[in-house]
């Protein structure tokens, strides 16, 4: 049971790290595009036409995170990064 939980926690680590990197980079890009504070009143989620572009461009640094996990031989964390790409794609498609 310990091995399965360890793998799952590494998977979650990769997923949450990648989502956090995408969110931070997306907020920075949102600010650069609109010159508005993205965290003010949840503005980044209200302006979906700009936020989807910002999040899709903000997910580019996840490639570096993916290779970092691969070089450290954290394969389950690398799978979590790939899963975060899928979650971001669903957000972009359905928003």
């Amino acid at each position: 049971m310990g091995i399965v939980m360890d793998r799952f926690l590494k998977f979650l680590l990769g997923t949450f790290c990648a989502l956090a990197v995408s969110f931070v980079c997306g907020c920075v890009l949102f600010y650069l595009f609109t010159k508005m504070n993205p965290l003010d009143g949840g503005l980044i989620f209200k302006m979906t036409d700009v936020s989807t572009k910002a999040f899709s461009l903000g997910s580019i640094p996840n490639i570096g995170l993916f290779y970092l996990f691969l070089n450290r031989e954290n394969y389950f964390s690398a799978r979590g990064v790939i899963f975060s790409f899928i979650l971001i794609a669903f957000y972009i498609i359905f928003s």
Side-chain angles (χ1 to χ4, degrees), residues 7-90:
R7 290 178 180 174
F8 182 69
L9 289 176
K10 286 184 180 180
F11 178 80
L12 285 180
L13 173 75
T15 302
F16 289 131
C17 285
L19 288 175
V21 166
S22 295
F23 183 74
V24 169
C25 291
C27 286
V28 169
L29 289 170
F30 184 85
Y31 177 74
L32 292 175
F33 287 152
T34 63
K35 301 295 186 218
M36 292 186 290
N37 185 4
L39 301 177
D40 187 31
L43 186 64
I44 196 162
F45 296 110
K46 293 177 186 172
M47 297 181 64
T48 57
D49 57 336
V50 179
S51 68
T52 56
K53 293 174 188 173
F55 282 137
S56 63
L57 289 174
S59 65
I60 292 173
N62 285 343
I63 298 170
L65 188 65
F66 175 74
Y67 283 114
L68 176 77
F69 284 137
L70 281 181
N71 286 338
R72 305 264 181 185
E73 295 183 1
N74 288 335
Y75 299 117
F76 288 98
S77 297
R79 289 180 189 177
V81 173
I82 293 172
F83 183 69
S84 74
F85 275 118
I86 294 169
L87 290 178
I88 292 168
F90 279 134

